[in-house]
Amino acid sequence: MAERRSPLGGAADRLAAVADATGGAVTVAEVPFLTQLSVRVFPAVLPSGDVSVLQLGPDEWLTVGPPGGATELAGLSVVDVSAQRTTVAVGGSRVLDLLAMGCALDLHPRVFRVGDCAQTTMAHAPVVIWRREAGYSILVRASFAAHLAEWLLDAAQEFTDGD
């Protein structure tokens, strides 16, 4: 079997360095290999537990779970899209300022609450933004991951200690 490589595996050190460069105001890290299933069904029959369920449309859901999680849901129309995207976790005291530089959505916690998600663009890349307890997860297609990471690294320069 071929070795799995995350889209941003080569950038892990550079992403982690953002926290040091910004004094913790912005943090960026890839969370690779999450199990992601695209599901067409009514929400009452979706899984729970360590699986999060994101509503992408009126009858479209994305289940997100730990790497190696279950990839089947009995009797449902399910497509495993785990290899299609990677996840970038962003946080810190200036995360909203960072995200506002590349996304037109109002992501303020009074509007975009924990558990909310939206399909949008960030730095011209199609993404799903998901509000978490500690920051945001950005689910980005593998083919756009390097572009988004470079944009985040560049945009985070605004928040370095020297400014």
Side-chain angles (χ1 to χ4, degrees):
M1 180 180 345
E3 179 183 336
R4 291 175 70 180
R5 293 186 181 172
S6 71
L8 298 178
D13 291 340
R14 291 177 57 218
L15 294 175
V18 168
D20 290 336
T22 64
V26 175
T27 60
V28 182
E30 181 185 25
V31 184
F33 311 124
L34 293 178
T35 299
Q36 299 179 44
L37 305 176
S38 177
V39 182
R40 297 284 183 150
V41 68
F42 292 108
V45 297
L46 289 174
S48 59
D50 62 351
V51 175
S52 295
V53 180
L54 310 180
Q55 185 173 10
L56 301 182
D59 69 343
E60 183 179 8
W61 305 84
L62 181 68
T63 66
V64 181
T71 57
E72 296 182 18
L73 299 173
L76 305 178
S77 173
V78 176
V79 177
D80 186 347
V81 294
S82 302
Q84 177 187 35
R85 296 184 187 99
T86 192
T87 303
V88 179
V90 293
S93 62
R94 302 290 304 272
V95 68
L96 285 175
D97 297 320
L98 174 74
L99 295 177
M101 294 169 69
C103 177
L105 293 179
D106 183 355
L107 299 174
H108 192 279
R110 73 175 176 273
V111 177
F112 201 76
R113 295 181 175 89
V114 171
D116 285 353
C117 71
Q119 295 184 82
T120 187
T121 58
M122 175 164 290
H124 306 288
V127 299
V128 175
I129 296 181
W130 176 19
R131 176 77 165 96
R132 309 296 301 270
E133 285 287 339
Y136 296 80
S137 289
I138 304 170
L139 287 71
V140 60
R141 292 183 188 273
S143 58
F144 287 97
H147 166 75
L148 181 65
E150 289 298 324
W151 181 87
L152 287 166
L153 290 167
D154 184 57
Q157 294 298 311
E158 280 291 313
F159 310 105
T160 58
D161 292 332
D163 290 341

